[in-house]
Amino acid sequence: MLPSTEDVIRKTEQITKNIQELLRAAQENKHESFMPCSERIHVAVAEMAALFPKKPRSEMVRASLSLLTSSAYRLQSECKKALPAEPSPTSDIQLVTQQVIQCAYDIAKAAKQLVTITTKENN
């Protein structure tokens, strides 16, 4: 059984709002904001994933959930690299920012796929 489209849309909006905040921080070079933003995204992603059954029958749902959750984990590890506490000479902040944006894009893409799937299935 899939969650209601309304619930999925509500969680997607939460994720989107947090991603927009993260992208704004990236544009304004506020790298110290990456971690708190990524934590909020992570929570919103976990809440969205929790709406779905543990082992969805649909391959598309499984793939989208997998992209959603793995991208949220990747986002957190990329954002950690932007922390001033971990200034490693290898972490080029431009590269980190690009990776952060890529992860955010993947999260948004997966959330959109889940909205599309639940809308189709629930109609």
Side-chain angles (χ1 to χ4, degrees):
M1 216 19 227
L2 289 179
S4 78
T5 307
E6 290 72 30
D7 285 346
V8 175
I9 289 172
R10 210 173 4 246
K11 292 298 174 197
T12 300
E13 285 168 352
Q14 190 65 52
I15 291 169
T16 305
K17 205 177 89 207
N18 291 324
I19 286 175
Q20 285 167 342
E21 210 177 301
L22 178 67
L23 295 180
R24 212 170 14 256
Q27 283 171 336
E28 295 168 5
N29 287 325
K30 292 186 177 157
H31 304 116
E32 69 285 353
S33 301
F34 282 10
M35 214 48 223
C37 283
S38 82
E39 277 159 12
R40 284 192 290 277
I41 291 169
H42 199 83
V43 167
V45 162
E47 287 174 359
M48 178 143 167
L51 294 175
F52 290 85
K54 282 278 170 269
K55 292 192 169 110
R57 279 199 298 270
S58 157
E59 180 53 47
M60 279 172 69
V61 172
R62 277 200 303 271
S64 298
L65 282 171
S66 171
L67 178 63
L68 184 74
T69 53
S70 65
S71 299
Y73 278 109
R74 236 180 61 232
L75 177 67
Q76 278 196 308
S77 69
E78 289 300 331
C79 287
K80 270 197 190 93
K81 295 178 191 170
L83 288 176
E86 287 189 32
S88 69
T90 53
S91 78
D92 168 7
I93 200 68
Q94 288 309 111
L95 188 65
V96 168
T97 302
Q98 279 176 344
Q99 292 299 322
V100 163
I101 291 168
Q102 183 58 52
C103 293
Y105 172 80
D106 287 341
I107 292 167
K109 185 172 122 186
K112 185 176 185 290
Q113 286 170 352
L114 289 167
V115 169
T116 305
I117 294 164
T118 50
T119 304
K120 265 198 209 113
E121 294 293 318
N122 291 331
N123 282 344

